[in-house]
Amino acid sequence: MEIRVGFEIAYAAVQPTPMVTMLSIHPSRFSDIVGTERITTAPDVPIGFYRDSFGNVCGRLIAPAGGIILRGEALVRDSGLPDPVVPAAQQLPIDQLPDDVLLYLMPSRYCETDKLTDVAWSLFGSTVPGWPRVKAIVDFVHGHLRFGYQHAHHMKSAHDVYAEGAGVCRDFAHLALTFCRCMNIPARYCTGYLGDIGVPRDPAPMDFSGWFQVYLSGQWHTFDARHNVPRIGRILMATGRDAADVALTTSFGRMDLVKFLVISEEVVPA
């Protein structure tokens, strides 16, 4: 299948303001892009692209006084298959993990393993290591939390989420991946497009989505604690230790968000 994705994000600014954006499709999906991904600005300003330490594509620009509109669009080929389910995937001993994966066992800004390790082991210590353990974690988080945009807060950590029992997709991902790290399973945060493909359409305005990946049997596997079912049409944009590493935009000065529109939809052949 082919999926059309894109966004339009507008900010107001009183004075020229440097920005870093993370709005490109992830390099792991470059070969799936039909033609070229286009990211433009209005007014037109130069964007310099670079890769961050996690391999994500970032853009640097200066928003002019008055503000800026960021627009992106791409057509992406997709298998049309749901997220793979691999029940036999195994948890590797820490001494067998690649050096660059060890980072995803460590605490990070929103994922305080030190505060949740005792809780994690009390909840999941008797589960079978590997895929069954991760599935038990995802099932617990999915059942423990209530989803609602009114529960969103940019400073909320995994420990806060566990205590409050509510959050948005990033909170579901933060709590689940923190529990995984507590159980010595490397886990990283993911952000990207996830349209209503193969599921009933959600009437709420579309947003970018947050999920997570775990490292089992030598590769990364996708899990989604909010939806807790394999989904079709997931298009990765960025990965990191947690949401702090994959901020869509970072401004170095005061800017006010005035428009936020995201699309991700299957292209139906004529």
Side-chain angles (χ1 to χ4, degrees):
M1 69 165 55
E2 293 184 343
I3 301 173
R4 187 174 305 281
V5 298
F7 60 84
E8 182 172 325
I9 304 173
Y11 289 96
V14 174
Q15 60 189 18
T17 306
M19 298 183 70
V20 171
T21 66
M22 199 177 295
L23 293 165
S24 300
I25 292 172
H26 193 266
S28 64
R29 297 300 302 264
F30 278 178
S31 63
D32 297 323
I33 297 174
V34 180
T36 305
E37 180 182 20
R38 296 182 67 248
I39 295 180
T40 60
T41 67
D44 186 20
V45 299
I47 306 177
F49 291 98
Y50 70 96
R51 301 280 185 96
D52 69 7
S53 59
F54 299 97
N56 305 311
V57 178
C58 304
R60 295 181 63 175
L61 61 107
I62 298 179
I68 193 167
I69 302 173
L70 304 165
R71 296 188 178 98
E73 59 178 346
L75 186 63
V76 183
R77 295 188 192 91
D78 192 80
S79 68
L81 299 175
D83 302 320
V85 176
V86 190
Q90 297 181 1
Q91 182 173 338
L92 298 178
I94 292 177
D95 61 330
Q96 294 181 20
L97 294 172
D99 293 343
D100 61 347
V101 172
L102 290 174
L103 174 69
Y104 299 103
L105 288 174
M106 310 296 183
S108 56
R109 178 177 176 182
Y110 292 113
C111 302
E112 319 100 317
T113 53
D114 54 335
K115 293 183 178 180
L116 288 170
T117 293
D118 290 344
V119 173
W121 279 95
S122 69
L123 290 171
F124 312 112
S126 61
T127 58
V128 177
W131 189 280
R133 176 165 286 170
V134 180
K135 185 63 170 66
I137 290 171
V138 171
D139 288 345
F140 173 83
V141 172
H142 181 76
H144 182 71
L145 302 185
R146 303 184 314 279
F147 179 86
Y149 290 109
Q150 71 273 23
H151 304 304
H153 192 282
H154 69 283
M155 294 299 290
K156 187 183 290 187
S157 70
H159 186 263
D160 297 330
V161 174
Y162 175 70
E164 294 177 16
V168 292
C169 59
R170 68 175 248 165
D171 300 315
F172 281 70
H174 280 156
L175 182 56
L177 74 86
T178 301
F179 279 148
C180 287
R181 290 179 189 172
C182 290
M183 305 302 294
N184 298 327
I185 302 171
R188 66 186 183 185
Y189 186 90
C190 302
T191 188
Y193 296 97
L194 182 60
D196 299 324
I197 299 174
V199 298
R201 188 170 185 84
D202 188 336
M206 188 167 290
D207 196 352
F208 294 109
S209 187
W211 61 89
F212 73 106
Q213 295 175 339
V214 299
Y215 193 81
L216 298 172
S217 290
Q219 65 184 70
W220 292 101
H221 298 269
T222 294
F223 286 86
D224 187 333
R226 177 195 168 185
H227 297 104
N228 200 23
V229 293
R231 291 288 296 268
I232 298 170
R234 199 183 298 272
I235 299 174
L236 183 67
M237 294 170 65
T239 67
R241 294 166 298 181
D242 57 33
D245 292 329
V246 299
L248 298 171
T249 62
T250 301
S251 59
F252 300 90
R254 173 66 183 271
M255 300 187 78
D256 296 317
L257 179 66
V258 294
K259 184 175 184 179
F260 188 87
L261 173 68
V262 179
I263 64 166
S264 180
E265 56 193 15
E266 180 183 0
V267 177
V268 180

